[in-house]
Amino acid sequence: MITSELPVLQDSSNESGATDTVGISMSISEMEDPDMKGKKKRGRPGKQPPTSNKKPRKSPTDKTMGVARGRGKANGVAQHNGDGGDPVTLFEVVKLGKSAMQSVVDEWIESYKQDRDLALLDLINFFIQCSGCKGTVRIEMFRNMQNAEIIRKMTEEFDEDSGDYPLTMPGPMWKKFRYNFCEFISVLIRQCQYSIIYDEYMMDTVISLLTGLSDSQVRAFRHTSTLAAMKLMTALVNVALNLSIHQDNTQRQYEAERNKIAGKRANEKLELLLQKRKELQENQDEIENMMNSIFKGIFVHRYRDAIAEIRAICIEEIGVWMKMYSDAFLNDSYLKYVGWTLHDRQGEVRLKCLKALQNLYTNRELFPKLELFTNRFKDRIVSMTLDKEYDVAVEAIRLVTLILQGSEDALSNEDCENVYHLVYSAHRPVAVAAGEFLHRKLFSRHDPQAEEALAKRRGRSSPNGNLIRMLVLFFLESELHEHAAYLVDSLWESSQELLKDWECMTELLLEEPVQGEEMLSDRQESALIELMVCTIRQAAEAHPPVGRGTGKRVLTAKERKTQIDDKNKLTEHFIMALPMLLSKYQADSEKVANLLQIPQYFDLDVYSAGRMEKHLDALLKQIRLVVEKHIETDVLEACSKTYSILCSEEYTIMNRVDIARSQLIDEMTDRFAHSVEELLQEAEEADDDDIYNVLSTLKRLTAFHNAHDLTRWDLFGNCYRLLKAGIEQGSMPEQIAVQALQCSHYSILWQLVKITEGVPSKYYNDYGDIIKETLSKTRQTDKILCAKTLILSLQQLFNELLQDQGPNLDRTSSHVSGIKELARRFALTFGLDQIKTREAVATLHKDGIEFAFKYQNPRGPEFPPINLAFLEVLSEFSSKLIRQDKKTVHSYLEKFMSESMSERREDVWLPLISYRNSLLTGGDEDHMSVTSGSSSKTGSVRSKKGRPPLHKKRIEEESSVEGSWMMRNDTLQTPGALQTPQLTSTVLRENRPAEHMPDPDSEPGSENDYVHNPQMQMSWLGQQKMEEVNRKDRTGMNYIKSRSNQGVRQTVRGLMEDDAEPIFEDVMMSSRGQLEDMNEEFEDTMVIDLPPSRNRRERAELRPDFFDSAAMIEDESGFSMPMF
């Protein structure tokens, strides 16, 4: 038995008989008497003189001094890599892993037999170097210094610049090193187990060193030594187990020999057996003392180390000890450490605890020893099934399943229910593990033979009837009926035999219950049909349902064969059973809708290959009856889809199904035409029967028109008549109008499909000219409405792109480049006369800005609005704004911006930055590139000559605003012949949540106002301009007062000479709306000559000019539009 005392290492060469002890659990220092100088220390004997048979070798001091001067050189016992190369250290041999570990260990043992000090020195340096320490223990340090002093010296030489060490370094080489490191320790103990480990020197020295290193503040020392000590302990446990087995065998031999009669008893053999038993017992005691030293000196401290990986190592190894040598370790004294660590804050450690326990609970013979532990920690284990780490939750469920297998009474009903609901988890491994638990608890047959015999007596072909009933009850009690596919998927790996027993399922649905069975209720029948359809889908598709897993994976050859076999099996069964099921449940819409999902999983070739056309006719007959009996949308769509699947051209049954479908459509079309005539004739006198006849037939036709091309039946004509009558008379029921619109919609779509599938258009060659002429005429009629049309078309394209790619657009993609190219061409249609198109371009920018900020990002205000990227498209029209209007539009833009938006510089905000800068530059007097930051002397010098005074300039601007904008209000009229474009298409195309849709009626100046009110179109820009002028008047005096302060001038000069950021961008971000005022206030008094900067030149070469429309469309890919 492992004692609680620490080993006392005694020196047999001490003549005085005095003993020195090594306190392993406290420290590794040796308790040395100062009067004992010159005598050998216990555990550290002096080097003995070489015998005559030893080869002369270099002094250890010379070797270690060489290592001290140059790190990385060999030290101690020289090892060879087997290729005749230069000597390398034991660490390098293990790291390279080129030699078999047993040969490496055997070579070390040979060197130990020759000079155990040098061999141990090499082993000590092996552990030091495996920790990543570059220091080397020299022979004089080994002989004269205590272990604590050696470790302190090595700590001082530790490389603190890097936190990596061999056990934590990435890469396959270091992963292999960890394996070699552990294998070396295991092989070392195995090869030394018969002699060297009992010499009271090697093991004492190694354990003392590892105990001291494991108590170090250096993580690398602590981690490496703990791993070494735990693997050393595991190897010793194996030795102790072998000794125990040998002791038992020896004891049996001794008892057998002693029980012989006196004449046949061999006394010499008895003495030998008695001596062997005594020797084994001494060795066992010695091994137990070593294990006790490691456990109390290292494990009990490191299992709660601050580093999770160290704690995990301890728990993993103690699990190995308990399983390997259960008689000694599988008791509450050791189990408690695993139980306590179940509460560890790191999932990695909790995972090791669960796996260690799984190895124990797998062996049913160990259950009696685990009973107390189970009662104490069962609640914690059950609660871990809901662990936040999915890997931990999976292993916890598996452990609970093992506990259930070992003892049915170990878990209460409440414990089981906590695991049951996890079969509906979205994380598939958790759900599958819970499915295994559910199968073991509820769906496993306890006595298969008896249950099969009972089923035969009852006339049932399958003994799974009760289990299927149990499955239905479980599904209903869980109250998660929409998750039947999840339940089936969870049980699929553990209960396939049950879930694929479709014969038993149809028996329960079609046949009357026999004696001793209860009839299924209507709710139970619906649940069973739903579960049955889910099992069919799982078998046919061979992949989890949506929401489980990352996508379809490639099936293995075995899985593919199973899928094909399952599909053939279900097809052969349900080809005959499905018509009967439809016949029984044809009046129940829910059951019928589910049953009609089954044909899509058929192998339809079986109909013709197996000569089962009569069953096909029976199925078509039942589907026809269902169509005639129901008007529910889901049922009709299921029927339509089934016809579509059966009419696939690749199958020979297509003609037979097409005839049946055509007959059905003919009858419904005739009935529809007749009922429409009656309804229109009756008009306002139509009764409920007339309305129902039209509505029911129209619903059926609409459902079929969705999946089938019914254009040859010309349903559009009668639908148009109904809609026209509703508009003229205003008395058409809403449901009929909706169905008529939907049916007409399908008719148009099917005709468009025919056109796009290869029917050439005779107007294709003239398409570009037609569009250009249309735009020209529209622009001549009303420039503002033409501009609105252009921006609306760009918005529609942008919305479609958002729907396809999502909110995170790739602005470098060809689709975005195509929209920008189209915007550039639209901009060219405004011509060179900016005065004539002034109102139209300004209105276009206004609509574009409102569209860009229309919807806030649902993730929060710190994220850009959903349509913000549209500003990059809108930048293509900035060059068509005159300089004064750019300022006005910029002011309007800032009304939509928050303070934080102005400071954002991430890539997602580049459209806003680009658009703002396009409004602040590009005028006749803007000569500096805003983005590149480059400047020239000629472009930066602003002459005072030829420029009006500031006050005169403002007067001219105000008069220009009033004359060219406000005064034209009376002359510009919107022609009445041009109807307002329907803007609702944009709303239909936008895929936005309703909560983010602003109310157009509540916002002043809404889009409808600008469309229908030309005065409002004119007054918006004038109003913005007047607000700008008033703002300048309010802020101008503040700047005029500060002009006398030269500090302002120096501040502006400093801002504009800063190389860190683009020039105007810095000023804009610091002064925001006052940028124009600063430019105008200082342009008459300041002459700024910025010298060319190397940083500016580099940025000019590397960064594109976001305001050059040509630079933004350099990519020729995108929308290839031959319009202009």
Side-chain angles (χ1 to χ4, degrees):
M1 192 62 188
I2 298 177
T3 64
S4 60
E5 298 178 356
L6 300 179
V8 179
L9 309 183
Q10 297 182 352
D11 190 348
S12 59
S13 63
N14 194 331
E15 298 177 358
S16 65
T19 60
D20 299 327
T21 61
V22 181
I24 296 180
S25 65
M26 297 179 290
S27 69
I28 59 171
S29 62
E30 300 176 4
M31 310 301 293
E32 182 180 10
D33 191 338
D35 296 331
M36 296 298 295
K37 292 183 179 180
K39 297 183 180 180
K40 298 176 183 177
K41 294 183 293 182
R42 179 65 192 101
R44 294 284 177 84
K47 179 182 176 183
Q48 300 177 0
T51 60
S52 59
N53 61 346
K54 291 185 180 179
K55 296 180 180 180
R57 53 195 300 154
K58 292 183 180 180
S59 170
T61 306
D62 296 337
K63 295 179 181 180
T64 54
M65 290 302 291
V67 175
R69 288 191 296 268
R71 294 182 179 180
K73 296 183 180 180
N75 176 65
V77 179
Q79 302 289 339
H80 296 268
N81 58 12
D83 298 329
D86 294 333
V88 292
T89 62
L90 185 59
F91 166 70
E92 292 171 341
V93 172
V94 174
K95 182 181 75 171
L96 293 176
K98 293 182 179 180
S99 303
M101 203 57 63
Q102 183 165 338
S103 64
V104 175
V105 171
D106 290 343
E107 190 173 353
W108 183 88
I109 292 175
E110 288 299 320
S111 67
Y112 182 82
K113 292 178 180 178
Q114 294 179 10
D115 192 327
R116 61 183 187 178
D117 279 358
L118 287 179
L120 274 178
L121 182 62
D122 198 27
L123 187 60
I124 291 172
N125 280 316
F126 167 72
F127 289 118
I128 296 296
Q129 292 169 3
C130 286
S131 302
C133 180
K134 303 302 182 183
T136 304
V137 180
R138 298 186 298 274
I139 190 67
E140 61 270 17
M141 296 170 59
F142 174 67
R143 287 175 173 169
N144 301 322
M145 296 176 63
Q146 297 180 355
N147 282 343
E149 296 174 346
I150 294 176
I151 295 174
R152 185 162 54 249
K153 181 68 174 176
M154 293 299 101
T155 302
E156 294 173 356
E157 299 187 22
F158 207 96
D159 184 10
E160 298 181 356
D161 296 335
S162 174
D164 291 334
Y165 49 95
L167 292 183
T168 60
M169 287 182 181
M173 183 186 74
W174 296 109
K175 184 177 181 181
K176 184 180 179 181
F177 166 78
R178 182 188 180 104
Y179 172 80
N180 292 340
F181 176 76
C182 298
E183 185 185 10
F184 172 79
I185 297 173
S186 176
V187 174
L188 177 64
I189 300 301
R190 187 178 70 225
Q191 296 300 101
C192 298
Q193 65 177 318
Y194 299 110
S195 60
I196 296 179
I197 61 174
Y198 304 112
D199 67 356
E200 298 183 352
Y201 184 67
M202 184 198 82
M203 291 301 296
D204 294 344
T205 304
V206 171
I207 293 174
S208 178
L209 173 71
L210 295 180
T211 304
L213 289 174
S214 69
D215 199 37
S216 172
Q217 295 296 319
V218 179
R219 170 178 173 169
F221 280 151
R222 207 165 67 251
H223 186 183
T224 307
S225 62
T226 301
L227 177 61
M230 295 300 102
K231 292 299 179 181
L232 185 68
M233 177 78 167
T234 301
L236 290 175
V237 170
N238 190 49
V239 173
L241 178 62
N242 292 333
L243 287 173
S244 177
I245 295 173
H246 289 317
Q247 278 186 287
D248 293 340
N249 293 336
T250 303
Q251 182 66 27
R252 283 196 297 270
Q253 293 175 9
Y254 177 80
E255 294 292 340
E257 190 68 26
R258 191 182 62 176
N259 292 333
K260 291 181 180 180
I261 59 178
K264 296 183 179 180
R265 183 187 307 157
N267 294 328
E268 294 181 358
K269 186 176 181 180
L270 282 174
E271 292 180 1
L272 290 175
L273 290 174
L274 192 61
Q275 181 65 26
K276 182 180 179 181
R277 187 181 66 176
K278 181 180 179 181
E279 180 182 350
L280 290 173
Q281 183 61 45
E282 291 176 353
N283 291 343
Q284 181 82 358
D285 294 341
E286 186 69 20
I287 294 296
E288 288 181 353
N289 286 332
M290 297 177 194
M291 294 190 298
N292 190 52
S293 299
I294 295 175
F295 187 83
K296 291 196 171 184
I298 299 177
F299 178 89
V300 295
H301 301 293
R302 299 281 70 81
Y303 91 96
R304 52 184 181 180
D305 194 277
I307 305 302
E309 190 171 357
I310 296 177
R311 302 197 300 272
I313 291 172
C314 295
I315 295 302
E316 183 178 15
E317 294 305 314
I318 196 176
V320 176
W321 309 336
M322 289 187 289
K323 183 179 181 180
M324 182 186 299
Y325 197 1
S326 58
D327 290 340
F329 288 94
L330 189 56
N331 54 62
D332 297 332
S333 298
Y334 296 97
L335 280 169
K336 64 183 180 182
Y337 295 104
V338 181
W340 292 341
T341 317
L342 288 172
H343 298 270
D344 195 281
R345 61 182 178 275
Q346 293 295 328
E348 174 189 3
V349 183
R350 299 195 300 274
L351 191 65
K352 293 294 184 183
C353 292
L354 294 171
K355 288 188 175 181
L357 292 173
Q358 287 176 13
N359 291 331
L360 299 177
Y361 280 97
T362 303
N363 188 351
R364 294 199 175 189
E365 296 178 358
L366 301 180
F367 264 82
K369 296 183 178 181
L370 292 166
E371 183 177 359
L372 185 60
F373 175 85
T374 303
N375 295 333
R376 171 65 179 82
F377 293 100
K378 178 199 64 175
D379 292 342
R380 172 56 184 164
I381 295 173
V382 173
S383 68
M384 291 176 73
T385 60
L386 298 175
D387 197 280
K388 63 180 181 180
E389 302 286 344
Y390 284 130
D391 293 342
V392 177
V394 170
E395 299 304 328
I397 296 172
R398 290 174 180 170
L399 179 57
V400 173
T401 305
L402 290 173
I403 295 175
L404 176 69
Q405 289 178 319
S407 175
E408 290 283 345
D409 300 330
L411 299 175
S412 63
N413 292 334
E414 184 180 358
D415 295 333
C416 296
E417 290 173 0
N418 289 332
V419 183
Y420 287 161
H421 73 277
L422 293 176
V423 296
Y424 297 104
S425 171
H427 188 71
R428 192 168 192 269
V430 171
V432 171
E436 173 69 21
F437 177 84
L438 185 62
H439 170 78
R440 297 287 182 184
K441 180 65 176 177
L442 298 180
F443 305 136
S444 57
R445 286 185 286 173
H446 301 284
D447 192 353
Q449 294 181 351
E451 293 177 9
E452 289 178 3
L454 178 62
K456 289 182 180 180
R457 288 197 303 270
R458 292 180 173 179
R460 297 298 190 191
S461 61
S462 172
N464 291 326
N466 290 333
L467 296 180
I468 291 177
R469 289 172 179 268
M470 183 77 69
L471 176 64
V472 171
L473 291 175
F474 175 82
F475 176 55
L476 291 175
E477 290 178 1
S478 63
E479 298 181 354
L480 293 170
H481 301 170
E482 67 275 13
H483 293 83
Y486 275 21
L487 175 59
V488 169
D489 180 57
S490 301
L491 292 168
W492 193 252
E493 295 184 7
S494 56
S495 308
Q496 278 199 28
E497 180 185 357
L498 174 66
L499 298 178
K500 291 180 182 178
D501 194 351
W502 295 302
E503 292 84 358
C504 182
M505 296 180 187
T506 51
E507 275 185 354
L508 292 175
L509 291 171
L510 292 175
E511 298 182 8
E512 296 295 328
V514 297
Q515 185 177 4
E517 290 183 345
E518 294 183 2
M519 180 180 295
L520 294 176
S521 65
D522 179 72
R523 188 163 171 257
Q524 291 173 344
E525 288 178 337
S526 298
L528 177 55
I529 291 174
E530 186 177 357
L531 289 169
M532 182 175 66
V533 173
C534 291
T535 61
I536 293 171
R537 185 212 65 80
Q538 187 94 2
E541 295 184 351
H543 66 78
V546 177
R548 286 265 180 94
T550 56
K552 295 183 180 179
R553 62 179 181 87
V554 178
L555 300 179
T556 63
K558 182 179 179 181
E559 291 172 337
R560 179 60 180 165
K561 183 180 183 302
T562 302
Q563 180 191 23
I564 294 173
D565 294 343
D566 289 342
K567 198 166 186 178
N568 289 332
K569 177 184 174 183
L570 70 90
T571 302
E572 292 173 356
H573 174 73
F574 283 100
I575 275 179
M576 295 180 290
L578 182 58
M580 293 185 288
L581 291 170
L582 289 173
S583 176
K584 180 176 180 179
Y585 298 109
Q586 62 180 258
D588 192 316
S589 59
E590 180 185 359
K591 296 183 179 68
V592 168
N594 275 321
L595 290 171
L596 286 174
Q597 306 296 321
I598 297 177
Q600 64 182 303
Y601 306 112
F602 281 177
D603 180 5
L604 296 179
D605 287 329
V606 175
Y607 274 116
S608 54
R611 297 184 178 181
M612 296 184 174
E613 287 83 357
K614 64 177 183 179
H615 297 292
L616 175 62
D617 294 337
L619 175 62
L620 295 174
K621 178 182 178 182
Q622 293 300 324
I623 296 176
R624 181 189 180 106
L625 293 174
V626 171
V627 172
E628 293 175 350
K629 184 163 294 189
H630 293 275
I631 60 171
E632 293 86 356
T633 302
D634 55 345
V635 176
L636 295 175
E637 288 181 351
C639 294
S640 174
K641 184 177 181 180
T642 303
Y643 271 113
S644 177
I645 293 169
L646 297 176
C647 282
S648 299
E649 296 180 358
E650 54 186 301
Y651 301 111
T652 57
I653 62 174
M654 181 263 185
N655 292 330
R656 184 186 295 263
V657 179
D658 184 56
I659 293 173
R661 179 187 61 178
S662 299
Q663 292 175 351
L664 178 61
I665 299 299
D666 286 339
E667 292 183 6
M668 290 193 298
T669 304
D670 293 341
R671 195 180 307 145
F672 176 59
H674 180 70
S675 59
V676 169
E677 289 292 339
E678 290 184 351
L679 179 65
L680 295 179
Q681 289 179 1
E682 296 290 339
E684 297 181 357
E685 298 179 359
D687 56 13
D688 294 341
D689 290 340
D690 296 330
I691 295 174
Y692 177 79
N693 291 334
V694 173
L695 180 61
S696 60
T697 311
L698 184 55
K699 276 188 173 182
R700 297 185 178 101
L701 289 172
T702 301
F704 272 78
H705 211 349
N706 185 12
H708 304 267
D709 183 7
L710 307 182
T711 52
R712 64 190 178 99
W713 279 275
D714 191 21
L715 298 176
F716 183 84
N718 283 323
C719 290
Y720 178 76
R721 294 175 62 194
L722 289 173
L723 293 172
K724 183 178 179 182
I727 294 174
E728 294 175 351
Q729 301 175 8
S731 60
M732 187 63 63
E734 180 181 352
Q735 293 184 357
I736 293 180
V738 170
Q739 292 296 324
L741 277 172
Q742 194 169 359
C743 188
S744 302
H745 173 67
Y746 292 146
S747 298
I748 296 172
L749 288 179
W750 280 110
Q751 294 184 22
L752 288 175
V753 169
K754 290 183 178 180
I755 294 174
T756 56
E757 282 181 349
V759 181
S761 175
K762 62 183 178 178
Y763 302 109
Y764 181 78
N765 294 331
D766 299 327
Y767 179 74
D769 294 335
I770 294 174
I771 291 295
K772 285 192 289 186
E773 182 64 21
T774 302
L775 286 175
S776 177
K777 290 296 184 183
T778 304
R779 188 168 54 254
Q780 293 175 10
T781 305
D782 193 315
K783 295 182 178 62
I784 295 178
L785 287 181
C786 178
K788 282 182 167 289
T789 304
L790 296 181
I791 197 66
L792 181 61
S793 63
L794 294 173
Q795 292 171 6
Q796 290 177 345
L797 288 174
F798 186 83
N799 282 328
E800 291 176 355
L801 192 60
L802 282 180
Q803 292 178 359
D804 294 338
Q805 298 186 6
N808 299 322
L809 287 180
D810 181 8
R811 301 197 311 276
T812 62
S813 65
S814 59
H815 299 287
V816 176
S817 299
I819 298 178
K820 289 161 60 178
E821 171 65 10
L822 179 61
R824 187 186 69 84
R825 298 192 180 198
F826 280 167
L828 295 176
T829 63
F830 287 99
L832 300 177
D833 192 345
Q834 293 179 316
I835 299 300
K836 290 183 179 180
T837 59
R838 186 176 183 183
E839 301 95 338
V841 175
T843 303
L844 182 145
H845 278 272
K846 168 192 169 295
D847 289 354
I849 292 172
E850 292 175 350
F851 175 76
F853 291 91
K854 189 173 185 180
Y855 303 111
Q856 295 301 317
N857 197 309
R859 292 186 292 175
E862 64 273 13
F863 295 94
I866 296 176
N867 297 339
L868 188 71
F870 187 75
L871 292 179
E872 201 163 3
V873 178
L874 193 60
S875 300
E876 300 294 335
F877 297 93
S878 297
S879 61
K880 295 302 177 181
L881 287 168
I882 64 174
R883 186 170 184 271
Q884 295 91 330
D885 294 347
K886 283 187 177 181
K887 299 177 183 179
T888 304
V889 173
H890 179 265
S891 300
Y892 188 70
L893 172 67
E894 288 193 326
K895 294 181 180 179
F896 291 85
M897 295 171 53
S898 63
E899 186 70 25
S900 60
M901 290 183 184
S902 305
E903 302 172 356
R904 304 306 290 265
R905 287 295 181 274
E906 295 86 352
D907 288 345
V908 292
W909 295 93
L910 282 179
L912 176 60
I913 298 173
S914 172
Y915 182 60
R916 289 190 68 191
N917 291 337
S918 71
L919 297 176
L920 295 172
T921 59
D924 295 336
E925 297 175 353
D926 294 327
H927 301 290
M928 290 183 292
S929 174
V930 174
T931 304
S932 65
S934 62
S935 62
S936 63
K937 186 172 184 179
T938 58
S940 61
V941 176
R942 300 188 178 182
S943 175
K944 300 179 183 178
K945 296 181 180 180
R947 301 192 57 180
L950 180 61
H951 67 280
K952 183 176 180 181
K953 179 180 176 182
R954 289 190 173 177
I955 294 173
E956 289 178 356
E957 287 181 359
E958 293 176 8
S959 62
S960 174
V961 171
E962 294 176 356
S964 63
W965 290 85
M966 304 299 292
M967 300 304 293
R968 294 180 62 190
N969 242 353
D970 299 333
T971 60
L972 182 64
Q973 299 292 335
T974 303
L978 181 63
Q979 296 182 358
T980 301
Q982 296 295 328
L983 301 180
T984 55
S985 59
T986 305
V987 179
L988 292 176
R989 290 187 176 199
E990 291 171 356
N991 185 16
R992 297 292 176 266
E995 58 268 19
H996 299 293
M997 299 280 287
D999 185 3
D1001 297 332
S1002 63
E1003 180 182 353
S1006 62
E1007 189 170 39
N1008 290 331
D1009 296 332
Y1010 288 102
V1011 171
H1012 297 287
N1013 192 342
Q1015 283 73 22
M1016 220 170 175
Q1017 296 169 7
M1018 295 296 299
S1019 61
W1020 174 77
L1021 191 53
Q1023 180 181 1
Q1024 300 300 317
K1025 195 67 181 180
M1026 292 303 297
E1027 291 179 359
E1028 179 72 10
V1029 172
N1030 293 335
R1031 186 184 62 80
K1032 286 185 177 182
D1033 290 340
R1034 290 193 301 269
T1035 60
M1037 292 304 297
N1038 295 331
Y1039 278 96
I1040 292 174
K1041 291 179 180 179
S1042 64
R1043 286 179 61 185
S1044 59
N1045 189 349
Q1046 296 300 320
V1048 175
R1049 183 175 304 177
Q1050 296 300 325
T1051 301
V1052 176
R1053 182 185 297 271
L1055 287 171
M1056 300 188 73
E1057 291 178 351
D1058 187 5
D1059 287 341
E1061 293 290 340
I1063 299 171
F1064 275 92
E1065 196 170 17
D1066 276 349
V1067 178
M1068 179 181 65
M1069 292 303 115
S1070 61
S1071 60
R1072 302 212 42 193
Q1074 300 168 349
L1075 173 63
E1076 301 86 355
D1077 298 329
M1078 292 180 66
N1079 289 339
E1080 292 181 1
E1081 292 290 346
F1082 290 99
E1083 61 189 357
D1084 289 337
T1085 59
M1086 295 181 61
V1087 179
I1088 302 176
D1089 186 7
L1090 297 181
S1093 167
R1094 180 176 64 85
N1095 291 337
R1096 290 195 181 97
R1097 287 197 299 271
E1098 291 175 354
R1099 290 198 296 268
E1101 294 172 359
L1102 297 177
R1103 299 177 62 183
D1105 189 348
F1106 290 102
F1107 317 119
D1108 183 1
S1109 59
M1112 299 184 71
I1113 57 172
E1114 288 178 354
D1115 187 3
E1116 295 296 335
S1117 62
F1119 291 2
S1120 178
M1121 303 190 67
M1123 294 171 54
F1124 309 112

